Amino acid sequence: MILNEEQKIVVYSNEPFLFLLAGAGSGKTRVIVERIKHLILEGIMPEEILAITFTRKASFEMKERIDNPHVHVHTFHQFCYIQLIDYYKETFKLVNDEIEPFSREELLDISRHKNSLYQSKRPKKFIEYQNYLKKKGLKDFDDLILGVYFKIKGKNNPFHYQYIFIDEFQDTNHLQYSLLKELIKKDTKVLAVGDPDQSIYRFRGADSKIIFLYVKEYQAKLYTLSTNYRSRKMILEHANRLIMRNNRKYKKELVATNIENSYVYNLHFDTEKEEAFLIMNLIKIFKSHQIKDEEIAILYRNHHRAFELIQMLHYNHILFQTYDDSNEERKNGVQLLTIHKAKGLEFDAVIIIGLEHGVLPSIKNHQYLELEEERRLMFVAMTRARHFLYFSSVKKNSDNHTFTSSQFISESGTKTIPGRRINDIISLGDFNGRKAKNSRIDSNH
């Protein structure tokens, strides 16, 4: 694939500081990879290049694509772990996700406190937690970054990079940004890549305002990638319409290269049981149109919302795969995952379930910042889809709780049809050009 004009400008730019506003599916990783390859061809030593990614999986993929073992490609945590072990010769063990005496909520509070560089209010259990780690010779992931940060802060630090690249910049927190600033020396050049519309980790301390801070502090040149190579035109129209509702400093509209027709519908069901039965049948339709199991994704705000569907798929022997925190690998089977887990992935067919108020958006009262974060989450979910996208909502759940439908349905301009009319989707031309083994489904159950 040849670089488009937007991409070329960034790959060959001589600006010392760049911020690339890169929309979903716009080929941002390719730009980073091609720019690194270009710099090496221009005579930059690969050892002088550091690329920071958000997940380990992304770092492995980027390494593979750069295909030069001397370029440093790490997550913030990997980078700091390596320096503490190799350069500072520290000995410690890393904690697992769960630490017995502390709840997940307490651990999250402690993590946010550390990521604020101790600026936020100190959590109740903080001292007890730190003593626990010390006693057992442990460090947590935040301690890795804090450890390196305090060792190099204000000093002539021993790590020197001529070029630094940071992906998913909208997910950086105060601590990570502070570390980056310490790594930037007089002759360091930086390319930060991100999309404020996909900033969904506020609960962990991520702050997309760091983008504005970086652009201002370093007078960074702003470039945009708006051409989307992933999703059909209609999917992007609905996603653009939704995200426009947010108060955005950097505005962009995704433009599709795939102009094939595709309809987006919200399927409305009476109960979660009915929803599970008919979504199972929709999955069968996808499969009958030669869509592979692992190219079908069911996305949700929280795992509990998928309970009935998981039971249904299990009972009917349909192979599926759910994800937990330690499992990042895509395996065979229909993919069932939270929207947070789906970030960075893409699928041929996506069904987003739980389009009820209080579920998605998962807010009880209209707190503006929270609603904006939930809207970004919905935007991320929608832009995972290449060819087919459906929403799903129910009137009531298994506890007989009645729901009003999510505002995101109308905000995205998506039409609601009764779930029992799934057959109509087929006749509306969504699957034109795909040979079906058996299109019609039976909704009498």
PDB file of all heavy atoms in Angstrom, residues 91-96 99 114 129-140 143:
ATOM      1  N   THR A  91      17.164  -5.351  42.208  1.00  0.00           N
ATOM      2  CA  THR A  91      16.520  -6.678  42.249  1.00  0.00           C
ATOM      3  C   THR A  91      15.169  -6.539  42.934  1.00  0.00           C
ATOM      4  O   THR A  91      15.068  -5.979  44.022  1.00  0.00           O
ATOM      5  CB  THR A  91      17.379  -7.712  43.016  1.00  0.00           C
ATOM      6  OG1 THR A  91      17.727  -7.145  44.287  1.00  0.00           O
ATOM      7  CG2 THR A  91      18.645  -8.080  42.272  1.00  0.00           C
ATOM      8  N   PHE A  92      14.167  -7.027  42.258  1.00  0.00           N
ATOM      9  CA  PHE A  92      12.801  -6.967  42.797  1.00  0.00           C
ATOM     10  C   PHE A  92      11.939  -7.939  41.993  1.00  0.00           C
ATOM     11  O   PHE A  92      12.330  -8.406  40.922  1.00  0.00           O
ATOM     12  CB  PHE A  92      12.219  -5.548  42.703  1.00  0.00           C
ATOM     13  CG  PHE A  92      12.213  -5.000  41.312  1.00  0.00           C
ATOM     14  CD1 PHE A  92      11.167  -5.265  40.429  1.00  0.00           C
ATOM     15  CD2 PHE A  92      13.273  -4.223  40.843  1.00  0.00           C
ATOM     16  CE1 PHE A  92      11.164  -4.764  39.134  1.00  0.00           C
ATOM     17  CE2 PHE A  92      13.278  -3.717  39.547  1.00  0.00           C
ATOM     18  CZ  PHE A  92      12.220  -3.989  38.697  1.00  0.00           C
ATOM     19  N   LYS A  93      10.763  -8.210  42.549  1.00  0.00           N
ATOM     20  CA  LYS A  93       9.778  -8.997  41.797  1.00  0.00           C
ATOM     21  C   LYS A  93       8.601  -8.082  41.474  1.00  0.00           C
ATOM     22  O   LYS A  93       8.300  -7.155  42.222  1.00  0.00           O
ATOM     23  CB  LYS A  93       9.307 -10.200  42.633  1.00  0.00           C
ATOM     24  CG  LYS A  93      10.329 -11.342  42.649  1.00  0.00           C
ATOM     25  CD  LYS A  93       9.733 -12.626  43.202  1.00  0.00           C
ATOM     26  CE  LYS A  93       9.265 -12.449  44.626  1.00  0.00           C
ATOM     27  NZ  LYS A  93       9.394 -13.599  45.485  1.00  0.00           N
ATOM     28  N   LEU A  94       7.936  -8.373  40.359  1.00  0.00           N
ATOM     29  CA  LEU A  94       6.754  -7.582  39.987  1.00  0.00           C
ATOM     30  C   LEU A  94       5.505  -8.204  40.577  1.00  0.00           C
ATOM     31  O   LEU A  94       5.376  -9.428  40.598  1.00  0.00           O
ATOM     32  CB  LEU A  94       6.613  -7.533  38.464  1.00  0.00           C
ATOM     33  CG  LEU A  94       7.239  -6.344  37.749  1.00  0.00           C
ATOM     34  CD1 LEU A  94       7.049  -6.497  36.248  1.00  0.00           C
ATOM     35  CD2 LEU A  94       6.640  -5.025  38.211  1.00  0.00           C
ATOM     36  N   VAL A  95       4.568  -7.369  41.011  1.00  0.00           N
ATOM     37  CA  VAL A  95       3.318  -7.898  41.562  1.00  0.00           C
ATOM     38  C   VAL A  95       2.443  -8.456  40.439  1.00  0.00           C
ATOM     39  O   VAL A  95       2.520  -8.011  39.301  1.00  0.00           O
ATOM     40  CB  VAL A  95       2.506  -6.822  42.315  1.00  0.00           C
ATOM     41  CG1 VAL A  95       3.253  -6.274  43.488  1.00  0.00           C
ATOM     42  CG2 VAL A  95       2.074  -5.715  41.386  1.00  0.00           C
ATOM     43  N   ASN A  96       1.608  -9.421  40.792  1.00  0.00           N
ATOM     44  CA  ASN A  96       0.565  -9.871  39.871  1.00  0.00           C
ATOM     45  C   ASN A  96      -0.583  -8.867  39.951  1.00  0.00           C
ATOM     46  O   ASN A  96      -0.573  -7.964  40.779  1.00  0.00           O
ATOM     47  CB  ASN A  96       0.059 -11.263  40.264  1.00  0.00           C
ATOM     48  CG  ASN A  96       1.141 -12.298  40.075  1.00  0.00           C
ATOM     49  OD1 ASN A  96       1.946 -12.187  39.150  1.00  0.00           O
ATOM     50  ND2 ASN A  96       1.191 -13.266  40.963  1.00  0.00           N
ATOM     51  N   ILE A  99      -3.689  -8.380  44.538  1.00  0.00           N
ATOM     52  CA  ILE A  99      -2.903  -8.459  45.765  1.00  0.00           C
ATOM     53  C   ILE A  99      -3.879  -8.716  46.898  1.00  0.00           C
ATOM     54  O   ILE A  99      -4.769  -7.901  47.173  1.00  0.00           O
ATOM     55  CB  ILE A  99      -2.102  -7.160  46.005  1.00  0.00           C
ATOM     56  CG1 ILE A  99      -1.180  -6.899  44.812  1.00  0.00           C
ATOM     57  CG2 ILE A  99      -1.276  -7.264  47.267  1.00  0.00           C
ATOM     58  CD1 ILE A  99      -0.395  -5.634  44.890  1.00  0.00           C
ATOM     59  N   LYS A 114      -0.367   7.438  42.424  1.00  0.00           N
ATOM     60  CA  LYS A 114       1.025   7.364  41.929  1.00  0.00           C
ATOM     61  C   LYS A 114       1.145   8.036  40.560  1.00  0.00           C
ATOM     62  O   LYS A 114       2.112   8.737  40.291  1.00  0.00           O
ATOM     63  CB  LYS A 114       1.473   5.898  41.838  1.00  0.00           C
ATOM     64  CG  LYS A 114       1.683   5.250  43.200  1.00  0.00           C
ATOM     65  CD  LYS A 114       2.182   3.823  43.061  1.00  0.00           C
ATOM     66  CE  LYS A 114       2.478   3.221  44.421  1.00  0.00           C
ATOM     67  NZ  LYS A 114       3.068   1.877  44.328  1.00  0.00           N
ATOM     68  N   TYR A 129      -0.227  -0.408  51.947  1.00  0.00           N
ATOM     69  CA  TYR A 129       0.085  -1.073  50.674  1.00  0.00           C
ATOM     70  C   TYR A 129       1.584  -1.004  50.376  1.00  0.00           C
ATOM     71  O   TYR A 129       2.211  -2.010  50.028  1.00  0.00           O
ATOM     72  CB  TYR A 129      -0.717  -0.397  49.560  1.00  0.00           C
ATOM     73  CG  TYR A 129      -0.363  -0.852  48.156  1.00  0.00           C
ATOM     74  CD1 TYR A 129      -0.830  -2.068  47.651  1.00  0.00           C
ATOM     75  CD2 TYR A 129       0.425  -0.058  47.329  1.00  0.00           C
ATOM     76  CE1 TYR A 129      -0.523  -2.480  46.360  1.00  0.00           C
ATOM     77  CE2 TYR A 129       0.739  -0.461  46.034  1.00  0.00           C
ATOM     78  CZ  TYR A 129       0.265  -1.667  45.552  1.00  0.00           C
ATOM     79  OH  TYR A 129       0.571  -2.078  44.282  1.00  0.00           O
ATOM     80  N   GLN A 130       2.167   0.183  50.540  1.00  0.00           N
ATOM     81  CA  GLN A 130       3.605   0.337  50.269  1.00  0.00           C
ATOM     82  C   GLN A 130       4.447  -0.532  51.216  1.00  0.00           C
ATOM     83  O   GLN A 130       5.432  -1.136  50.796  1.00  0.00           O
ATOM     84  CB  GLN A 130       4.034   1.809  50.387  1.00  0.00           C
ATOM     85  CG  GLN A 130       3.506   2.700  49.274  1.00  0.00           C
ATOM     86  CD  GLN A 130       3.947   2.258  47.883  1.00  0.00           C
ATOM     87  OE1 GLN A 130       3.224   1.575  47.172  1.00  0.00           O
ATOM     88  NE2 GLN A 130       5.154   2.633  47.492  1.00  0.00           N
ATOM     89  N   ASN A 131       4.038  -0.606  52.472  1.00  0.00           N
ATOM     90  CA  ASN A 131       4.744  -1.456  53.442  1.00  0.00           C
ATOM     91  C   ASN A 131       4.648  -2.923  53.051  1.00  0.00           C
ATOM     92  O   ASN A 131       5.609  -3.683  53.178  1.00  0.00           O
ATOM     93  CB  ASN A 131       4.185  -1.252  54.858  1.00  0.00           C
ATOM     94  CG  ASN A 131       4.580   0.106  55.425  1.00  0.00           C
ATOM     95  OD1 ASN A 131       5.547   0.721  54.954  1.00  0.00           O
ATOM     96  ND2 ASN A 131       3.836   0.598  56.408  1.00  0.00           N
ATOM     97  N   TYR A 132       3.477  -3.310  52.585  1.00  0.00           N
ATOM     98  CA  TYR A 132       3.244  -4.694  52.130  1.00  0.00           C
ATOM     99  C   TYR A 132       4.208  -5.048  50.988  1.00  0.00           C
ATOM    100  O   TYR A 132       4.841  -6.101  50.989  1.00  0.00           O
ATOM    101  CB  TYR A 132       1.789  -4.829  51.678  1.00  0.00           C
ATOM    102  CG  TYR A 132       1.419  -6.172  51.091  1.00  0.00           C
ATOM    103  CD1 TYR A 132       0.944  -7.210  51.899  1.00  0.00           C
ATOM    104  CD2 TYR A 132       1.533  -6.408  49.717  1.00  0.00           C
ATOM    105  CE1 TYR A 132       0.610  -8.449  51.352  1.00  0.00           C
ATOM    106  CE2 TYR A 132       1.199  -7.636  49.158  1.00  0.00           C
ATOM    107  CZ  TYR A 132       0.744  -8.649  49.989  1.00  0.00           C
ATOM    108  OH  TYR A 132       0.415  -9.870  49.443  1.00  0.00           O
ATOM    109  N   LEU A 133       4.326  -4.126  50.004  1.00  0.00           N
ATOM    110  CA  LEU A 133       5.235  -4.369  48.865  1.00  0.00           C
ATOM    111  C   LEU A 133       6.670  -4.482  49.340  1.00  0.00           C
ATOM    112  O   LEU A 133       7.412  -5.374  48.927  1.00  0.00           O
ATOM    113  CB  LEU A 133       5.132  -3.228  47.832  1.00  0.00           C
ATOM    114  CG  LEU A 133       3.835  -3.046  47.055  1.00  0.00           C
ATOM    115  CD1 LEU A 133       4.013  -1.982  45.969  1.00  0.00           C
ATOM    116  CD2 LEU A 133       3.350  -4.329  46.399  1.00  0.00           C
ATOM    117  N   LYS A 134       7.058  -3.548  50.217  1.00  0.00           N
ATOM    118  CA  LYS A 134       8.446  -3.499  50.706  1.00  0.00           C
ATOM    119  C   LYS A 134       8.821  -4.793  51.419  1.00  0.00           C
ATOM    120  O   LYS A 134       9.875  -5.381  51.179  1.00  0.00           O
ATOM    121  CB  LYS A 134       8.579  -2.298  51.652  1.00  0.00           C
ATOM    122  CG  LYS A 134      10.007  -1.816  51.823  1.00  0.00           C
ATOM    123  CD  LYS A 134      10.014  -0.537  52.618  1.00  0.00           C
ATOM    124  CE  LYS A 134      11.465  -0.134  52.915  1.00  0.00           C
ATOM    125  NZ  LYS A 134      11.539   1.081  53.724  1.00  0.00           N
ATOM    126  N   LYS A 135       7.913  -5.242  52.278  1.00  0.00           N
ATOM    127  CA  LYS A 135       8.135  -6.467  53.069  1.00  0.00           C
ATOM    128  C   LYS A 135       8.374  -7.678  52.159  1.00  0.00           C
ATOM    129  O   LYS A 135       9.170  -8.556  52.443  1.00  0.00           O
ATOM    130  CB  LYS A 135       6.913  -6.703  53.967  1.00  0.00           C
ATOM    131  CG  LYS A 135       7.187  -7.664  55.131  1.00  0.00           C
ATOM    132  CD  LYS A 135       6.013  -7.723  56.078  1.00  0.00           C
ATOM    133  CE  LYS A 135       5.236  -9.020  55.852  1.00  0.00           C
ATOM    134  NZ  LYS A 135       3.956  -9.056  56.555  1.00  0.00           N
ATOM    135  N   LYS A 136       7.655  -7.689  51.018  1.00  0.00           N
ATOM    136  CA  LYS A 136       7.749  -8.848  50.125  1.00  0.00           C
ATOM    137  C   LYS A 136       8.737  -8.640  48.968  1.00  0.00           C
ATOM    138  O   LYS A 136       8.832  -9.487  48.076  1.00  0.00           O
ATOM    139  CB  LYS A 136       6.362  -9.170  49.558  1.00  0.00           C
ATOM    140  CG  LYS A 136       5.354  -9.540  50.634  1.00  0.00           C
ATOM    141  CD  LYS A 136       4.255 -10.417  50.082  1.00  0.00           C
ATOM    142  CE  LYS A 136       3.323 -10.892  51.161  1.00  0.00           C
ATOM    143  NZ  LYS A 136       3.614 -12.219  51.661  1.00  0.00           N
ATOM    144  N   GLY A 137       9.439  -7.504  48.956  1.00  0.00           N
ATOM    145  CA  GLY A 137      10.404  -7.226  47.885  1.00  0.00           C
ATOM    146  C   GLY A 137       9.756  -7.067  46.519  1.00  0.00           C
ATOM    147  O   GLY A 137      10.284  -7.483  45.492  1.00  0.00           O
ATOM    148  N   LEU A 138       8.570  -6.418  46.520  1.00  0.00           N
ATOM    149  CA  LEU A 138       7.800  -6.269  45.278  1.00  0.00           C
ATOM    150  C   LEU A 138       7.766  -4.821  44.789  1.00  0.00           C
ATOM    151  O   LEU A 138       7.901  -3.890  45.569  1.00  0.00           O
ATOM    152  CB  LEU A 138       6.346  -6.704  45.521  1.00  0.00           C
ATOM    153  CG  LEU A 138       6.066  -8.169  45.849  1.00  0.00           C
ATOM    154  CD1 LEU A 138       4.637  -8.326  46.341  1.00  0.00           C
ATOM    155  CD2 LEU A 138       6.287  -9.055  44.633  1.00  0.00           C
ATOM    156  N   LYS A 139       7.561  -4.678  43.487  1.00  0.00           N
ATOM    157  CA  LYS A 139       7.228  -3.377  42.902  1.00  0.00           C
ATOM    158  C   LYS A 139       5.973  -3.563  42.059  1.00  0.00           C
ATOM    159  O   LYS A 139       5.810  -4.625  41.449  1.00  0.00           O
ATOM    160  CB  LYS A 139       8.349  -2.888  41.970  1.00  0.00           C
ATOM    161  CG  LYS A 139       9.523  -2.191  42.661  1.00  0.00           C
ATOM    162  CD  LYS A 139      10.435  -1.592  41.613  1.00  0.00           C
ATOM    163  CE  LYS A 139      11.792  -1.199  42.155  1.00  0.00           C
ATOM    164  NZ  LYS A 139      11.758  -0.145  43.167  1.00  0.00           N
ATOM    165  N   ASP A 140       5.127  -2.542  42.011  1.00  0.00           N
ATOM    166  CA  ASP A 140       4.011  -2.618  41.073  1.00  0.00           C
ATOM    167  C   ASP A 140       4.399  -1.870  39.793  1.00  0.00           C
ATOM    168  O   ASP A 140       5.472  -1.275  39.706  1.00  0.00           O
ATOM    169  CB  ASP A 140       2.701  -2.108  41.694  1.00  0.00           C
ATOM    170  CG  ASP A 140       2.719  -0.616  42.017  1.00  0.00           C
ATOM    171  OD1 ASP A 140       3.538   0.113  41.408  1.00  0.00           O
ATOM    172  OD2 ASP A 140       1.928  -0.177  42.869  1.00  0.00           O
ATOM    173  N   ASP A 143       5.404   1.749  40.137  1.00  0.00           N
ATOM    174  CA  ASP A 143       6.715   1.929  40.778  1.00  0.00           C
ATOM    175  C   ASP A 143       7.858   1.882  39.768  1.00  0.00           C
ATOM    176  O   ASP A 143       8.895   2.500  39.968  1.00  0.00           O
ATOM    177  CB  ASP A 143       6.966   0.833  41.834  1.00  0.00           C
ATOM    178  CG  ASP A 143       6.022   0.944  43.015  1.00  0.00           C
ATOM    179  OD1 ASP A 143       5.586   2.073  43.304  1.00  0.00           O
ATOM    180  OD2 ASP A 143       5.719  -0.086  43.638  1.00  0.00           O
TER     181      ASP A 143
END
